[in-house]
């Protein structure tokens, strides 16, 4: 697509920005947890309908899609997640969360706003491109179930195929895309885009392990089997998995986030529950780490003479998020042409996890997933120069996470629009 056509599609953004900023503030003030995004989904559907999209709601419970068929050409899917987190906001924003204990601490309100803006621009500028655009507002990314729920609810036709028609003649909720594009706001300087080729985000496995003991009086520990001691030994031993069982060339993270046992200081309980998270970038390493966790849990239980083996439950799982090299190069060329090379930089793969890759895998389509800077540029530069990024710039999931509206929203809308246009055919 020519620079002039692209600039024409982007031209109305300045006039629409006040509305988009209001939308962002409203979404931030009214966050909704996974599969509860009814208000957010309704607003997304309302806007898509007004832009002229074919809208479907209630996919995977609260998911929303819009389809804009605009002549022959590729099918491009743009995705944003909608859910918030069970975090109490500690920012000083005038539009801080009004929902107790719930906050958009991961920036999904930015994602929804940017996708709404891009959907508007691409619909208004449909005379300058040809193909089919699918916009997807996904629920429940934080718990790892949203993308899977939409897929299982018939998002794409079984077997794929043009215009959503599967090999069995069935039709999906939306046409099967030729490419999936998505972005995530991050604690980087606003106005920057960061990317990682290949595996850009880790696989994640969250586990709940219940250790069983024999309860008793705190004054007579010899009559009990103490599950707290058992679980504590497990937690300490767990730290050896990455340090001593994973090769230095590989990456893995094992974090215990919850330890629950007992209710009184003088009572030995009969069980202790540990919840933990595993992050890996390679399937063999993943299997190795999970096997080690299972082995250590059973060994500590046996060493404590537990009445039975511990029980392990998988709470959620995310696959590795992998960027397609060719798609990354094509979109980055468009980003460089529009934003300038100085706004774009490579970054190390993130140990965080995502389920956007499930959508691309289900469609049999390549994925490009990039990071959108959202922090005040001067503060970011100062923290980087002083070597205090981790201390001075709140990360995603922090109660202080507060992306600046500008240039974050403008950059995010433009990035999604430019990325989509890099794959759609020029208008005829």
């Amino acid at each position: 697509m020519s620079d002039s056509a692209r600039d024409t599609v982007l031209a109305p953004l300045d006039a629409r920005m006040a509305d988009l900023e209001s939308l962002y503030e409203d979404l931030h003030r009214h966050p909704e947890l996974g599969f509860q995004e009814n208000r957010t989904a309704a607003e997304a559907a309302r806007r898509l309908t007004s832009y002229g999209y074919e809208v479907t709601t209630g996919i995977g419970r609260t998911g929303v899609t819009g389809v804009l068929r605009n002549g022959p050409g590729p099918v491009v899917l743009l995705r944003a997640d909608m859910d918030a987190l069970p975090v109490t906001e500690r920012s000083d924003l005038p539009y801080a969360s009004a929902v107790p204990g719930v906050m958009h601490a991961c920036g999904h309100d930015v994602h929804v706003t940017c996708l709404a803006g891009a959907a508007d621009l691409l619909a208004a500028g449909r005379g300058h491109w040809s193909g089919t655009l699918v916009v997807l507002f996904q629920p429940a990314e934080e718990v790892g179930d949203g993308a899977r729920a939409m897929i299982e609810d018939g998002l794409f036709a079984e077997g794929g195929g043009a215009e959503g028609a599967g090999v069995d003649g069935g039709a999906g909720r939306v046409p099967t895309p030729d490419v999936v594009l998505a972005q995530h706001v991050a604690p980087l300087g606003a106005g920057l885009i960061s990317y990682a080729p290949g595996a850009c985000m880790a696989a994640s496995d969250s586990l709940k392990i219940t250790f069983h003991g024999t309860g008793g009086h705190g004054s007579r520990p010899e009559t009990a089997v103490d599950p707290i001691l058992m679980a504590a030994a497990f937690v300490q031993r767990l730290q050896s998995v990455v340090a001593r069982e994973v090769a230095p060339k590989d990456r893995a993270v094992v974090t215990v986030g919850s330890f629950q046992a007992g209710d009184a200081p003088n009572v030995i309980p009969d069980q202790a529950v540990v919840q933990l998270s595993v992050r890996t970038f390679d399937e063999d390493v993943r299997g190795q780490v999970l096997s080690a966790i299972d082995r250590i849990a059973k060994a500590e239980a046996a060493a404590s003479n537990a009445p039975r083996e511990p029980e392990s439950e998988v709470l959620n799982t995310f696959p590795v998020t992998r960027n397609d090299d060719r798609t990354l190069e094509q979109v980055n060329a468009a980003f460089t042409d529009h934003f300038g090379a100085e706004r774009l930089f490579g970054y190390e793969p993130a140990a965080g996890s995502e389920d956007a890759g499930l959508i691309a895998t289900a469609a049999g389509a390549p994925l490009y997933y990039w990071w959108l800077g959202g922090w005040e540029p001067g503060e970011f530069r100062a923290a980087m120069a002083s070597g205090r990024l981790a201390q001075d710039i709140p990360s995603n999931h922090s109660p202080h996470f507060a992306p600046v509206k500008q240039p974050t929203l403008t950059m995010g809308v433009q990035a999604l629009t430019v990325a989509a246009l890099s794959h759609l055919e020029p208008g005829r």
Side-chain angles (χ1 to χ4, degrees):
M1 173 171 290
S2 68
D3 291 354
S4 61
R6 183 183 62 213
D7 291 344
T8 300
V9 174
L10 293 171
L13 179 56
D14 286 346
R16 286 159 163 77
M17 189 47 66
D19 173 64
L20 290 175
E21 289 188 3
S22 294
L23 171 62
Y24 169 67
E25 291 182 6
D26 182 69
L27 293 173
H28 192 87
R29 190 177 289 115
H30 300 97
E32 297 170 301
L33 296 174
F35 293 125
Q36 300 175 29
E37 309 94 340
N38 298 296
R39 187 178 185 276
T40 305
E43 179 61 17
R46 184 192 71 78
R47 285 176 175 262
L48 290 178
T49 300
S50 72
Y51 303 154
Y53 286 75
E54 304 166 21
V55 178
T56 305
T57 61
I59 307 177
R61 295 165 64 177
T62 49
V64 177
T65 61
V67 178
L68 189 61
R69 305 175 196 270
N70 193 38
V75 180
V76 175
L77 187 149
L78 302 179
R79 173 266 195 185
D81 39 13
M82 300 186 290
D83 55 322
L85 284 159
V87 172
T88 298
E89 183 158 0
R90 303 296 184 197
S91 77
D92 296 323
L93 295 172
Y95 47 89
S97 172
V99 182
V102 182
M103 175 195 175
H104 268 299
C106 203
H108 296 186
D109 46 354
V110 173
H111 305 169
V112 171
T113 302
C114 291
L115 183 54
D120 184 10
L121 294 182
L122 288 162
R126 72 186 74 183
H128 298 279
W129 58 269
S130 180
T132 297
L133 180 66
V134 179
V135 294
L136 185 152
F137 294 89
Q138 181 204 304
E141 182 276 334
E142 294 292 354
V143 294
D145 291 334
R148 188 175 288 108
M150 293 189 76
I151 293 163
E152 291 176 352
D153 200 15
L155 180 63
F156 306 125
E158 184 178 354
E163 293 302 304
V167 293
D168 60 355
R173 301 293 193 103
V174 300
T176 303
D178 296 300
V179 65
V180 175
L181 305 168
Q183 64 185 3
H184 201 302
V185 68
L188 305 169
L192 299 175
I193 287 177
S194 175
Y195 64 92
C200 65
M201 297 190 79
S204 172
D205 295 278
S206 294
L207 309 176
K208 176 182 177 181
I209 300 178
T210 302
F211 291 89
H212 300 283
T214 302
H217 199 289
S219 68
R220 301 185 66 203
E222 74 279 7
T223 67
V225 175
D226 191 344
I228 294 179
L229 181 61
M230 190 188 315
F234 165 76
V235 170
Q236 184 171 358
R237 177 78 182 203
L238 208 58
Q239 308 312 310
S240 70
V241 175
V242 173
R244 288 296 178 266
E245 299 193 38
V246 176
K249 65 180 179 60
D250 297 320
R251 296 182 64 191
V253 179
V254 178
T255 298
V256 174
S258 174
F259 191 124
Q260 299 174 336
D263 298 300
N266 63 341
V267 177
I268 296 173
D270 59 6
Q271 69 176 32
V273 179
V274 175
Q275 296 187 62
L276 59 108
S277 170
V278 178
R279 311 281 174 151
T280 53
F281 291 87
D282 177 87
E283 190 61 28
D284 289 339
V285 175
R286 174 178 177 265
Q288 177 186 353
V289 172
L290 292 176
S291 177
I293 291 170
D294 182 66
R295 183 192 75 236
I296 293 171
K298 291 177 179 177
E300 291 296 348
S304 296
N305 197 27
R308 57 191 170 108
E309 287 190 340
E311 297 170 350
S312 182
E313 176 187 352
V314 177
L315 300 177
N316 60 59
T317 182
F318 294 79
V320 173
T321 303
R322 294 188 181 278
N323 278 330
D324 176 73
D325 289 343
R326 186 171 181 179
T327 306
L328 181 149
E329 291 175 3
Q330 184 172 338
V331 174
N332 277 2
F335 283 166
T336 300
D337 187 53
H338 178 69
F339 297 117
E342 69 279 1
R343 297 285 191 93
L344 207 63
F345 67 99
Y347 205 69
E348 289 295 316
S353 303
E354 251 288 350
D355 64 358
L358 291 174
I359 296 172
T361 298
L367 170 75
Y368 181 27
Y369 188 96
W370 63 89
W371 290 286
L372 174 73
W375 209 256
E376 200 286 316
E379 290 182 16
F380 178 77
R381 286 193 297 269
M384 194 168 185
S386 64
R388 292 184 52 84
L389 279 178
Q391 295 80 12
D392 295 346
I393 307 298
S395 68
N396 299 74
H397 292 213
S398 164
H400 302 282
F401 186 71
V404 293
K405 286 185 290 186
Q406 293 299 346
T408 307
L409 296 180
T410 294
M411 191 82 172
V413 174
Q414 289 182 341
L416 287 173
T417 306
V418 169
L421 292 174
S422 75
H423 278 78
L424 295 163
E425 297 289 341
R428 300 183 182 182

